[in-house]
Amino acid sequence: MQEYLKNKHVLNEKIQAIFMWAGKPGATRDLLEELRNLKVIAVSGVGIDHLDLELIFRFGIRVTNTPFEVSSSTADIGMALMLASARRVVEGYQIAISPDTKHFNIDWLGQEITGATLGIIGMGRIGYKVAQRAKAFEMKILYHNRNQRNEADEQAVGAVYCQKMEDLLAQADFVMLAVNLTPQTCKLIGRKELGLMKPTATLINICRGQVVDQDALLKALQTKTIKAAALDVTYPEPLPRGHALLELKNVIITPHIGSATSQARRHMMERMVESILAAVNGLPVTNEVHD
Ligand SMILES: O=C(O)C(=O)CO
């Protein structure tokens, strides 16, 4: 890095590819103007909501991401959060390690996910992997998506399509968010939607914090409009210390670790290297992002 900063101007002329973390601040106009030989931006992960694609494409730069490499690990974190919330794993852990052993006998009970209804909002690659896992837990599966999946896909996981998201919200014991962040999905879940959920339901977010109106979520949790939330993503990340969501017992939060497995990260790296080599050599790029 120091070497780069020392020779920034010379090196900037040579840079043909940059690597970016999904969700982290995107490529600015200043940066694009400086990197005059840039051919490709390789994004690690599926989310490209942090990039101004119109601006990047105007510079003739190609964009690539790794949508296939993160699906299983992100679906796993969704299941982990759902189970941890339902079985109150974090509270249990606090009791198990508490110096005061008199609380060791718990005075609360968890909830089984077997037989419960899971509503998946966003049935793309990640949502579908969640459904595959939920089927093994004998959950009833509802889903809402822009487009209905084909019958074979639905039957393979026993998922029932809800054309209206409201129908899913009203029936689900667990609502899992797995959509891309777009202007259409920003604050998709707000006060009205939370109000449609059962008071016994849990919201799980594994996509982007901005998909939920966080103030409305906080209120819904404080007033017990819904039972609990389990979030791998928030807005901002991390939440400022002392944020009210961090104080609630019915919330568990992980630090955006959907793709944080050694397997997923290795596959993401391999795919990005492959895409960068292809792009700098003017060849077709796997997972190229288009308009
Ligand atoms: O790949 C992404 O965009 C993720 O956020 C994975 O959690």
Side-chain angles (χ1 to χ4, degrees):
M1 188 64 190
Q2 283 197 331
E3 189 59 22
Y4 169 72
L5 289 174
K6 223 172 24 182
N7 299 302
K8 197 169 161 205
H9 291 296
V10 183
L11 287 172
N12 280 352
E13 290 288 312
K14 295 190 199 282
I15 290 174
Q16 294 189 47
I18 51 177
F19 156 96
M20 277 191 173
W21 278 109
K24 296 287 181 252
T28 59
R29 177 185 293 278
D30 286 352
L31 182 75
L32 299 177
E33 275 169 0
E34 219 167 297
L35 304 182
R36 292 207 311 233
N37 274 313
L38 188 64
K39 292 196 167 67
V40 59
I41 296 175
V43 177
S44 73
V46 61
I48 46 159
D49 45 275
H50 58 308
L51 294 181
D52 181 346
L53 288 181
E54 209 183 303
L55 174 74
I56 294 169
F57 291 154
R58 247 189 279 137
F59 279 81
I61 295 162
R62 297 163 87 178
V63 175
T64 169
N65 63 350
T66 63
F68 295 93
E69 288 68 17
V70 300
S71 311
S72 296
S73 61
T74 308
D76 286 350
I77 205 71
M79 294 304 289
L81 284 170
M82 178 161 57
L83 281 162
S85 179
R87 299 303 303 274
R88 302 172 71 158
V89 169
V90 176
E91 278 172 82
Y93 171 72
Q94 296 301 346
I95 291 168
I97 64 163
S98 162
D100 189 352
T101 53
K102 79 170 183 292
H103 297 301
F104 199 77
N105 293 321
I106 56 157
D107 58 3
W108 45 257
L109 296 172
Q111 179 187 8
E112 282 184 24
I113 68 165
T114 303
T117 300
L118 170 63
I120 302 171
I121 299 182
M123 194 63 137
R125 274 176 295 267
I126 294 173
Y128 196 73
K129 292 252 179 213
V130 170
Q132 288 174 323
R133 285 153 176 71
K135 181 177 189 265
F137 280 85
E138 299 166 50
M139 298 187 84
K140 298 188 191 92
I141 302 167
L142 305 176
Y143 76 99
H144 172 75
N145 199 43
R146 261 176 319 178
N147 304 310
Q148 184 167 4
R149 303 276 306 213
N150 65 48
E151 217 177 306
D153 281 356
E154 288 183 343
Q155 274 174 8
V157 292
V160 175
Y161 183 55
C162 292
Q163 195 174 12
K164 289 194 187 136
M165 186 172 73
E166 291 74 10
D167 293 340
L168 176 152
L169 292 170
Q171 294 176 67
D173 299 303
F174 297 90
V175 173
M176 179 124 26
L177 304 176
V179 294
N180 289 328
L181 174 64
T182 64
Q184 289 73 37
T185 61
C186 188
K187 296 201 177 167
L188 181 70
I189 303 297
R191 190 164 68 92
K192 178 171 144 263
E193 291 71 25
L194 291 160
L196 293 172
M197 288 171 65
K198 295 183 190 177
T200 50
T202 298
L203 182 75
I204 301 138
N205 191 359
I206 54 170
C207 55
R208 286 290 180 270
Q210 294 93 324
V211 170
V212 177
D213 177 342
Q214 219 160 249
D215 294 337
L217 175 63
L218 178 63
K219 202 124 232 163
L221 290 161
Q222 284 168 333
T223 57
K224 307 268 192 302
T225 304
I226 66 167
K227 180 176 158 202
L231 313 169
D232 187 42
V233 287
T234 57
Y235 185 74
E237 286 173 5
L239 286 175
R241 298 303 91 172
H243 190 287
L245 270 179
L246 301 176
E247 312 293 328
L248 293 180
K249 258 192 150 180
N250 52 349
V251 178
I252 54 176
I253 304 187
T254 46
H256 200 149
I257 52 173
S259 72
T261 67
S262 44
Q263 291 87 343
R265 291 285 163 89
R266 193 183 61 241
H267 292 141
M268 287 154 76
M269 287 297 170
E270 284 167 359
R271 177 69 64 217
M272 283 188 291
V273 168
E274 193 183 292
S275 299
I276 286 172
L277 288 176
V280 297
N281 287 299
L283 297 170
V285 171
T286 328
N287 304 331
E288 181 155 5
V289 176
H290 299 283
D291 275 327

